[in-house]
Every structure is written in structure tokens, then in C-alpha cells.
Amino acid sequence: MGRELVAEPDREDRKPQSDEARSAFAPPSGVAAAFEDESHTTSEFAIPEGLAPPGPPSTEPEGSAFNAPHTYRAPAFTPPTGIPVVKLTREVPWQDRMRTMLRMPVAERPVAEQVQRTEEDGGPAVPRVLDLTLRIGELLLAGGEGAEDVEAAMLAVCRSYGLDRCEPNVTFTLLSMSYQPSLVDDPITASRTVRRRATDYTRLAAVYRLVDDISDDETEVSLEEAYRRLAEIRRNRHPYPGWVLTGAAGLLAGAASVLVGGDAIVFVAAALGAMLGDRLAWLCAGRGLPEFYQFTVAAMPPAAIGIALTLANVDVASSAVVTGGLFALLPGRALVAGVQDGLTGFYITAAARLLEVMYFYVGIVTGVLLALYFGVKLGAELDPDIAVSSSQEPVWGIVASMLLALAFAVLLQQERSTVLMVTLNGGVAWSVYGAMHYPGGLSPVASTAVAAGVVGLFGQLLSRFRFASALPFTTAAIGPLLPGSATYFGLLSIAQNDVDAGLVNLSKAAALAMAIAIGVNLGSEISRLFMRLPGVSTEGRRAAKRTRGF
């Protein structure tokens, strides 16, 4: 038999195949694979080819949260009544409109109608708009405005320049703004740090007027014009000189001493102590000392004058002198703003404000204790725990409260056109408190809450009438209601090892502070219940959903 010759396969064919060739996804030999461009990007939202529903594609440009991507051609699902459109007009203040927008989910917000032109060709100058927005928010936050109102102002500026999908974020020292051009584009985020705070309600009112003009469709404010007006606001000087502020601090201390039962001698002594402390605080500020030491130094002169009156055997209420002198130092504005931020859901900013208030209070008590220590060494038998009683004379109490509100308004650098209304509002607050506490027999906490609610209600109505911030109409008016004596005696009792009495006074002071803040906030919300937004139903004004404990 002959041997059969079998052709050996090529050596290259006998080489082991790679893992890629053995892959289950590799096409079999002889089957042509479909050409696929590796550079082509796909999306999980894209409909496979051949399954697109019939109908003409959407002609609207991509770039809105309500428009589907270009690969999606299915009909969009909308509410039966359609999506409400909010027009940025002067029908209601922009604060309410933007607050309503903030309380709505981003996907449910109406598309912004571009009010202002960002450039001559109408294209959005996104970085410049974000920078302008952050600068405006910085001035508002540094001036003491609440976090929710700062976010509302920032959102109003961005939406006026055509940036609809914006998300502002406000904390105690940091502002950030994020804008996403479309669903497929990367977001653009900018931030700004607030390093210096200065209370100037005149500047605050000017910033509000600028935001109101930007959000008005009848007023043309370009980016260059907005920058120019913002620079003028920054360069403007305070409306009151330094000597007027010092006199206002003395008037505030004297009026506060009358409210806690002082007479003419106490009025003069408290005023002198407050003015001297104010000048010493200015001197420390010029040397670059932190605010903690400024409060410590400013608290010493009122206590020293009270000790001097005791050593001179003058029959006066020394505690009223000290309490009235320290009234100008109490950070009531920061305290109310901190509690109000907590009520509106800005817990980080609220915690930071309350921590700042605690440091200020500790500085005040430190200064008073230093003065009392040297007074005891000199032989003064000063009992700072002597109870002070509020003046029950209606006429003197109302006059003193109005003077206190007037002085407080000057210290806050308010516009001269608002001082008279704030003074009257302070008198109304004390009248409500006195009528409910003395003849009515209600507790101080309940009386304070009702009086603060009236202040918040009137303040919101006045601010809506003038299209301005509510702070200038409420902050100074709540001055007569501040828990000055309770806080002072509480901390002082703890420092003297009388912990029980100190905790009682501190609890009372905390309850009064909460009553003031909640009353002001509740009065503001009650005023908004009677205001309807154009194009938005009443159920559109929603608050943030809480966790309800889980």
C-alpha cells in the first residue's frame, strides 16, 4: 500500500488564536461585520434605529430642561393645564417670584424669559453674568440679608439675563452659582468668598433697586451698566458721619435704660458709657483687633460708670445703667437672622450666625466681669443681680421705644426716608407688647412673639410698597424687644457661680430671642399669604419638604 500524502496546514494557521479572536462577541469567519465608527457617541436615552415613533421632529433648539435631547423624538408628557409661565414684570415684587422659583424643583421651573441683553448680538456672556450675580449676592450677604433672600436675588439676576437652569448656593462665608447650558453640556460653576461684613442698609437698599431694575422688562440694564452701578454702590460713603453714630449709640443706651426702669441720671450715665465704649471699639478696630476684643473693650465703660455711681453713693439703679449701656452692643440683628435662616432651612448659615452671636455675648460678659472685678477691689458693693423692672408708664415707654428704634436705625445706616417709618414701627411694637403683658397679663414670651409678628407684618408690607428689602423696616423696630437684661444677668450669674439663676435667665433670653425671630418670620409669611403671583396658582407657592423625622 502506498502512503497517503496529506497536505500539512500552513504554520501560520496553526498559531494559537488570541483571546479577542475567541471572544463570543467576535463575528464568525465569513460573516462581514457591520461598519461601526468608534468615535460615534451614544446615549442610553437614544431610541434604537427603526423604532422612532412617527411624527415630525421637534423644531425647538436644545438647551432647556423642558426640551428632550436631539436623539429623543417621543412626545413629552406635560400636565393637563400646561406649565405655568411666570412673567418677570412689576405686577408683584421680584422677591416673591424668585422665592417661589427656589421652592420649585428645577425640572418644574418655567423657562426664563430673557429680559436684559447680555451682549449686542444677544448671546449669553455666562462668566460675566455669574460674576455680576456673585458680586450682588456678596453685598447682600455682607449687609446682613437672610440666605433665602440672597438666593432669590441671585436667581433673579441670572434669569433676567437668560440663564434659566441656575442653582444658587449661599452659606455664611461662601457664595456659589452653577449654570448648566443644556442636558448634555457640562455645568459652569463660580464662587465668591465673603470676607468682610459691614452693616449699611443704605447700600442694601441700593442693591435691591439695582436687582429690581435688572428684573424689570421695561428697564434696559446692560451688563456694563449693571457693573457701573454696582461700582458706584461700593464707592458710596455712609450717610451718617462717625460722630452721629456715636451719639446714636448713646441715645440708644439711654432709651434702653429708661425701658428697664431708669431715671434721668441713669439715662445720662448709660449714654456716656455707651458713647465711650463706642469710641474705644472704633480705636480697636483701627488697630486691627478682632470683633471679640472690640466687644470686650466696649462693654467696660458702662460697667465702670455703674461702679463709679455706687462708690459715690448715688441712689440709682446701677444694673439699669449697665444694661442700658450694653444694649447698643447686643447683636440682635445677627441673632434674629440666625434663627430666621434656621426656620427657612439654611441650617449651616444659621449655625454660623448663632456661633458668632455666642462669641459676641462672651466678649460682652468678659468686659463686664473685668470691670466688676476691679470695682470689688476698690470696695464697691455692687450687686449686678438686682432685678430690673420694665417701665410701666405707657407714655414714657412708648417715647423711649421710639427713641431706641430711631437710634438703632441710624446705627444701621438706614436711608433718611425710612427712619420715620421705622421709628413709628418700633413704637407700635412696644405698644402691642405693653398692652398684652401688663393689662392682658400674658407672659413676656407670648407678648414678645405677637409684637414681633406685628413688626414683621408691617415691615413686609412697607417693603412691598417700596420694592425694597424688609430688613430696614424690621431690624430697628424690634430693638425694644431684645432680651438685653435677661441675657446679661444670666451669663453674669453663671460667672458668679450661681448656675441655677443663670440657667433660668438664659432660658428666658433664649425663649425671647426665639419668640422675636419666629414672630418676625411668621408675620412676613402671613403677609405673603395675601399676595398672588401672576401665572402661578396658590399651590405653586410651596415650601421645602422636610424629612419629618426619618
Side-chain angles (χ1 to χ4, degrees), residues 90 116 132 135-136 139 161 202-216 219-236 467:
R90 284 186 176 270
Q116 308 294 341
L132 175 67
R135 290 178 183 273
I136 290 176
L139 285 181
Y161 286 108
T202 300
R203 178 181 297 176
L204 189 69
V207 176
Y208 261 75
R209 285 193 293 269
L210 174 60
V211 177
D212 185 49
D213 291 340
I214 291 176
S215 59
D216 183 18
T219 305
E220 183 70 23
V221 181
S222 62
L223 276 176
E224 297 299 332
E225 177 68 16
Y227 270 108
R228 184 189 63 80
R229 291 179 57 178
L230 194 62
E232 290 180 354
I233 294 173
R234 287 180 174 273
R235 288 194 302 264
N236 282 345
F467 290 91

Side-chain angles (χ1 to χ4, degrees), residues 383-467:
D383 186 8
D385 200 24
I386 297 178
V388 293
S389 59
S390 300
S391 176
Q392 299 187 18
E393 293 293 334
V395 177
W396 287 111
I398 294 175
V399 171
S401 63
M402 294 177 66
L403 289 178
L404 193 151
L406 172 63
F408 207 170
V410 174
L411 287 176
L412 293 175
Q413 302 282 357
Q414 292 191 195
E415 293 179 308
R416 293 181 174 89
S417 59
T418 64
V419 171
L420 178 59
M421 290 181 287
V422 172
T423 303
L424 296 176
N425 201 8
V428 170
W430 184 257
S431 300
V432 173
Y433 171 80
M436 299 190 66
H437 179 55
Y438 297 113
L442 293 180
S443 64
V445 176
S447 304
T448 301
V450 175
V454 173
V455 169
L457 178 61
F458 286 174
Q460 285 293 334
L461 294 178
L462 290 173
S463 67
R464 293 311 185 262
F465 177 74
R466 298 175 61 92
F467 290 91

